[in-house]
Amino acid sequence: MPTHPPREHSPARRRFLQTSFAGVLVLAGSSLVVRRSLADTAAAANPYAWLEDQDALIVRRVAPVLLSGALPDGKARGEVLDEIVYGFDLAVSYFPPSVRGEIRQLFDLLRNSITRALLAGMFSSWEKATPAQIEHLLKRWEHSRFRLLRSAYAALHDLVAGAWYGNPRSWPRIGYPGPPVLK
């Protein structure tokens, strides 16, 4: 039976392995720091609990169409739209995970240009969509023969309406004095 001579470990090989191991540790540590930094930056940039920036844009574009005539004009309109997006986000963040998952699918569909064009007939991006195009999309879904699209419309409608009419700023416009005060 042949016997092999014992392997000699050269100092150069050992140094190469030690340097490689140290390099891997440095890269792994750097990667972790960069990931953590990016996650903190993303969290700081997105002020919402559940909505992503593109979702917030969709809510901000859909709300004036759904609440046509109910929103104030001028500078207050921008503030109110911010509050509606916040209220929408807050409501969805308290939903059970299964419902949040369905709403996530709805926003994914609305964000994707191909599915938005196929199912909603809207070829413009949300940034460039006109109120008439958005109204057409919503009317199409409201009266669709497909239950899924009618449900999507109802979800958007109810969440936007809830976010606005649950806001005390909307109450004077509809003559609601507010909840009774218990003494």
Side-chain angles (χ1 to χ4, degrees):
M1 181 168 183
T3 60
H4 297 285
R7 284 184 137 174
E8 290 186 25
H9 298 287
S10 71
R13 183 174 177 227
R14 181 170 294 159
R15 197 175 357 208
F16 173 75
L17 291 174
Q18 289 173 341
T19 304
S20 298
F21 183 70
V24 167
L25 287 178
V26 168
L27 288 176
S30 300
S31 174
L32 186 63
V33 168
V34 168
R35 281 185 182 186
R36 177 96 184 188
S37 173
L38 290 175
D40 290 346
T41 302
N46 183 356
Y48 306 109
W50 185 84
L51 290 174
E52 295 176 7
D53 288 340
Q54 281 294 312
D55 306 335
L57 171 66
I58 293 169
V59 173
R60 199 172 169 81
R61 297 301 314 264
V62 165
V65 175
L66 286 172
L67 300 170
S68 179
L71 299 179
D73 292 323
K75 184 180 176 185
R77 188 180 188 95
E79 295 170 3
V80 163
L81 286 173
D82 289 341
E83 292 171 4
I84 289 171
V85 172
Y86 174 77
F88 189 104
D89 179 57
L90 186 65
V92 173
S93 69
Y94 283 107
F95 285 161
S98 61
V99 176
R100 286 195 310 258
E102 291 175 357
I103 295 173
R104 168 61 43 224
Q105 290 174 349
L106 170 63
F107 278 109
D108 289 345
L109 182 147
L110 289 170
R111 290 165 50 171
N112 184 302
S113 61
I114 295 171
T115 55
R116 187 178 58 242
L118 290 174
L119 289 176
M122 192 169 95
F123 296 92
S124 300
S125 66
W126 284 101
E127 291 88 357
K128 295 178 182 175
T130 65
Q133 290 172 318
I134 296 170
E135 184 176 2
H136 177 74
L137 176 153
L138 293 170
K139 290 289 180 197
R140 188 173 167 179
W141 281 15
E142 181 182 15
H143 301 292
S144 174
R145 64 184 166 139
F146 299 110
R147 183 172 177 229
L148 181 67
L149 295 179
R150 289 193 312 269
S151 296
Y153 169 82
L156 285 173
H157 178 271
D158 292 354
L159 284 166
V160 166
W164 172 233
Y165 291 112
N167 184 338
R169 284 179 81 166
S170 72
W171 298 347
R173 296 181 69 87
I174 58 175
Y176 178 59
V181 178
L182 300 177
K183 294 181 182 180

